[in-house]
Amino acid sequence: MKQNRRLILCAVLLLFSCLWGCGTAAVSSTQHRVALVAKSTETEFWLSVFAGAEAAATEYNIKLSIIGPETEEDYETQNQMVADAVAAGAEALVFSAIDYENNAAAIDSAAKAGVKIVAIDSNVASEAVSTYIGTNNYAAGQMAAQAALERVEGPLKVGIVNYDISSANGQEREQGAVDAFTQSGRAEIAGVINTLAEASYAQEDTSTLLENFPDINVLLAFNEPTSVGAAKAVEKMGLSEEIFLVGFDSNVVTIDALQEGSVDALIVQNPYAMGYLGVESAYKLLTGQGGNLERTVDTSTQIVDKSNIFTMDSQKALFAFEQQWD
């Protein structure tokens, strides 16, 4: 009897062992080193990216470092950070390019050193990129234009507040918006500015744009700092009723402005997913699973306005997971 019980117990343990081993993706016991080189470390957008990246690093037993320059225009510092990460032993880079062209040589050099490359948010002109994970920026620009076209009657006089002219995602968003407005037959681009990706500069430059083109009744801003600056300019100039402002991303300022009226719609991305999938893809490349990666992964984007701000989907998008990091 005891012998039979032992046999039954062994069979049960063997069954559970098989089920566990067959049903769970094995995580490498080797702790791979991955560096996330961001465009910035200050905005809520990037804090959400970092939270997603750190969640994936914990799940896949990765030693993750997170670095980025102080401003979203400093591609030279970003290039040096790439070189430093490679010298420090990074096996893969999760990278968001400040400058599509001028970041390419640094990424090519990293790849020649055997480092795997994953691009998130903003791509780079390098064939070494194994996968790009982020927003379909052209479509997001069209979405921003459509938000205004569907909500503003009559002719549209459009002002565009963009950031660094060398950033691929900003230029793709602008092109998508311009094409959508042109195809509508009832919109005219009155003025376009490229400003620093800092709220104070964006506010000042937006004020100048609105002073130079007082017939503007639709305003588009294409990332978090420019949206904050544009919203503050509209509010300070008392133009909340006259101008329909579509911003990108979300933070406390733009969410408050959406409720108060200086912002009319937000195009909200999924930065947490960019960070998580970026690190997960780096892990797959380092563990021989890169053949299953798609060349481009489009993370979700949605329009949030007063009509849907309190829905569950909008709340999840607006208040993405964040955490402070050292």
Side-chain angles (χ1 to χ4, degrees):
M1 182 66 70
K2 289 183 179 179
Q3 182 70 18
N4 289 340
R5 287 177 180 175
R6 289 194 188 100
L7 290 173
I8 292 170
L9 177 60
C10 288
V12 170
L13 291 173
L14 182 62
L15 176 61
F16 273 111
S17 176
C18 180
L19 289 173
W20 178 262
C22 296
T24 304
V27 175
S28 173
S29 59
T30 302
Q31 190 173 46
H32 292 286
R33 299 171 65 92
V34 175
L36 193 166
V37 183
K39 294 171 73 172
S40 167
T41 60
E42 299 299 322
T43 65
E44 294 187 28
F45 176 92
W46 283 107
L47 291 176
S48 187
V49 171
F50 302 157
E54 288 175 336
T58 298
E59 181 174 346
Y60 290 103
N61 188 33
I62 285 173
K63 185 174 178 59
L64 177 69
S65 61
I66 296 175
I67 47 179
E70 292 184 1
T71 70
E72 291 197 20
E73 289 75 35
D74 192 358
Y75 71 85
E76 292 176 332
T77 293
Q78 207 182 31
N79 286 342
Q80 186 59 52
M81 287 176 168
V82 168
D84 291 345
V86 174
E91 301 169 80
L93 291 173
V94 178
F95 184 71
S96 178
I98 286 176
D99 192 304
Y100 182 75
E101 298 290 345
N102 286 320
N103 283 133
I107 293 300
D108 287 340
S109 294
K112 287 178 182 177
V115 176
K116 305 296 185 182
I117 309 296
V118 175
I120 63 170
D121 176 57
S122 185
N123 214 339
V124 61
S126 172
E127 292 298 319
V129 174
S130 296
T131 182
Y132 165 76
I133 299 165
T135 298
N136 180 330
N137 289 295
Y138 182 85
Q142 290 186 307
M143 185 181 293
Q146 201 60 40
L149 288 165
E150 292 175 355
R151 293 163 175 80
V152 180
E153 297 181 355
L156 276 59
K157 301 290 185 180
V158 180
I160 291 177
V161 182
N162 210 341
Y163 47 103
D164 195 325
I165 198 167
S166 299
S167 179
N169 54 358
Q171 294 308 304
E172 290 166 3
R173 292 169 194 175
E174 181 178 319
Q175 190 60 58
V178 170
D179 287 351
F181 281 131
T182 301
Q183 292 165 11
S184 74
R186 64 184 184 92
E188 175 188 342
I189 307 300
V192 177
I193 60 170
N194 288 91
T195 185
L196 296 180
E198 297 179 28
S200 59
Y201 288 100
Q203 179 179 348
E204 182 178 346
D205 290 342
T206 300
S207 296
T208 301
L209 174 68
L210 296 176
E211 289 167 359
N212 291 339
F213 300 95
D215 58 342
I216 287 175
N217 62 356
V218 169
L219 195 61
L220 269 58
F222 284 133
N223 73 352
E224 182 184 324
T226 58
S227 298
V228 171
K232 288 183 175 180
V234 168
E235 181 182 12
K236 186 173 181 179
M237 296 175 74
L239 296 173
S240 297
E241 295 297 324
E242 288 77 14
I243 292 178
F244 189 94
L245 171 57
V246 183
F248 261 71
D249 304 324
S250 66
N251 66 13
V252 173
V253 175
T254 53
I255 293 170
D256 286 347
L258 182 60
Q259 295 182 79
E260 294 167 1
S262 53
V263 171
D264 297 281
L266 290 170
I267 308 301
V268 184
Q269 303 179 81
N270 193 343
Y272 187 91
M274 294 181 200
Y276 182 92
L277 295 174
V279 171
E280 181 183 59
S281 297
Y283 172 81
K284 289 181 177 180
L285 288 167
L286 293 171
T287 55
Q289 304 173 62
N292 295 326
L293 293 179
E294 296 181 17
R295 184 69 177 173
T296 300
V297 177
D298 181 11
T299 51
S300 61
T301 307
Q302 66 186 79
I303 300 174
V304 178
D305 61 15
K306 282 185 178 180
S307 71
N308 67 359
I309 187 173
F310 294 111
T311 65
M312 184 62 71
D313 286 344
S314 294
Q315 290 291 298
K316 287 179 180 179
L318 290 171
F319 301 101
F321 295 103
E322 298 174 2
Q323 65 183 42
Q324 297 295 328
W325 59 285
D326 296 323

